[in-house]
Amino acid sequence: MKAHVMHELSVAQEIIGIVQENLPDGNTHCVKAVKLKIGKLTNILPDSLTFCFEALTKDTALDGAQLDIQHIPITLQCNGCRVVSEIEGFIFACPSCGSADIKTIAGDELQVSEIEISD
Ligand SMILES: [Zn+2]
């Protein structure tokens, strides 16, 4: 449990770093929203992430910014039958032929996709 909170905390710090790097000079702007793409494989709990983000951004240019999280499902491609499947949960076999010879083609994203700034 503690390890998990640490995970979200470091992710929140990383996101804040990315946003700050992308802010216009002067840092006088307020960030309204940060859009994120988070793959299910990252195992991030959105509630914990939001909690850490809010705690870390108090009294900064990001204070009050909304985290807008877009969840990316896990997508696999089978090296055997070539079928591409979106899966729920963590089943790492091809749903079409049952082969374990698969590769992940989506679901491990952790990206800031958009930063909304108010002026
Ligand atoms: Zn297959």
Side-chain angles (χ1 to χ4, degrees), residues 78 80-81 94 96-99:
C78 177
C81 68
C94 171
S96 176
C97 72
S99 168

Side-chain angles (χ1 to χ4, degrees), residues 41-101:
L41 276 171
T42 60
N43 230 352
I44 287 168
L45 299 175
D47 288 353
S48 306
L49 182 61
T50 303
F51 176 81
C52 292
F53 182 82
E54 283 174 1
L56 290 170
T57 54
K58 258 204 177 326
D59 303 321
T60 72
L62 280 75
D63 198 350
Q66 290 289 313
L67 274 189
D68 186 351
I69 300 173
Q70 184 192 355
H71 296 276
I72 310 294
I74 301 166
T75 306
L76 305 173
Q77 184 171 31
C78 177
N79 289 323
C81 68
R82 313 303 298 172
V83 168
V84 173
S85 319
E86 247 181 40
I87 59 162
E88 289 293 324
F90 296 90
I91 313 151
F92 289 101
C94 171
S96 176
C97 72
S99 168
D101 185 15

Side-chain angles (χ1 to χ4, degrees), residues 39-41 72-76 103-109:
K40 279 193 168 181
L41 276 171
I72 310 294
I74 301 166
T75 306
L76 305 173
K103 67 176 174 198
T104 309
I105 57 176
D108 57 359
E109 294 82 355

Side-chain angles (χ1 to χ4, degrees), residues 16 19-34 53-66 115-119:
I16 292 162
V19 172
Q20 282 171 339
E21 272 172 33
N22 287 285
L23 282 181
D25 291 338
N27 244 3
T28 52
H29 302 262
C30 275
V31 179
K32 248 164 66 181
V34 179
F53 182 82
E54 283 174 1
L56 290 170
T57 54
K58 258 204 177 326
D59 303 321
T60 72
L62 280 75
D63 198 350
Q66 290 289 313
I115 301 165
E116 224 177 280
I117 294 170
S118 63
D119 40 28

